[in-house]
Amino acid sequence: QVQLVESGGGLVQAGGSLGLSCAHSGRTFGRFRMGWFRQAPGKEREFVAAVSRVGGTRSYADSVKGRFTISRDNDKNTLYLQMNSLKPEDTAVYYCAADPTLTPSLSTSAAPYIYWGQGTQVTVSS
């Protein structure tokens, strides 16, 4: 079974930066479209960013566009999310997820992502 483990979460002041990583176990990382989602208390899980299988195409939520960058290193079986200019409203548990669809298309909904990590907490103070 695919295992995803996020790391890099923590506490940062508004305007600061934080980098997240997602380690993927197994031999098929390059077959998966990958995405980042987040969920704040009392809110639904929302899309943050996604990247195609070889990293050539990226998609971002309007709320993070221009501030966050998603990337992947298939040789290292790792997904990344670089977060800059962080705002208090970015505070949430961040999850990485994998979509097994063997196409370059990206989805902004959670449904196609059937594998999920346990999440890492990101807290942005005012």
Side-chain angles (χ1 to χ4, degrees):
Q1 182 175 339
V2 173
Q3 300 284 339
L4 302 175
V5 181
E6 303 94 337
S7 62
L11 175 65
V12 64
Q13 289 187 317
S17 299
L18 202 62
L20 305 182
S21 297
C22 174
H24 175 283
S25 66
R27 304 170 59 191
T28 58
F29 179 68
R31 291 189 174 189
F32 295 90
R33 300 182 301 170
M34 299 295 296
W36 286 99
F37 292 77
R38 66 187 183 186
Q39 187 169 21
K43 295 185 177 181
E44 296 182 344
R45 187 169 298 184
E46 65 176 349
F47 170 78
V48 176
V51 62
S52 59
R53 290 182 296 158
V54 297
T57 304
R58 301 172 183 179
S59 180
Y60 298 94
D62 289 341
S63 60
V64 306
K65 188 175 183 179
R67 300 188 297 118
F68 291 11
T69 302
I70 187 172
S71 62
R72 66 190 297 163
D73 188 335
N74 289 354
D75 291 334
K76 297 181 179 179
N77 281 18
T78 304
L79 175 73
Y80 304 97
L81 182 68
Q82 179 62 44
M83 305 182 292
N84 299 325
S85 301
L86 283 163
K87 305 175 181 179
E89 50 263 44
D90 294 319
T91 296
V93 176
Y94 283 70
Y95 300 88
C96 69
D99 177 358
T101 301
L102 299 178
T103 70
S105 299
L106 300 177
S107 177
T108 59
S109 67
Y113 299 87
I114 64 173
Y115 301 108
W116 296 82
Q118 63 180 332
T120 185
Q121 177 70 47
V122 173
T123 302
V124 184
S125 62
S126 301

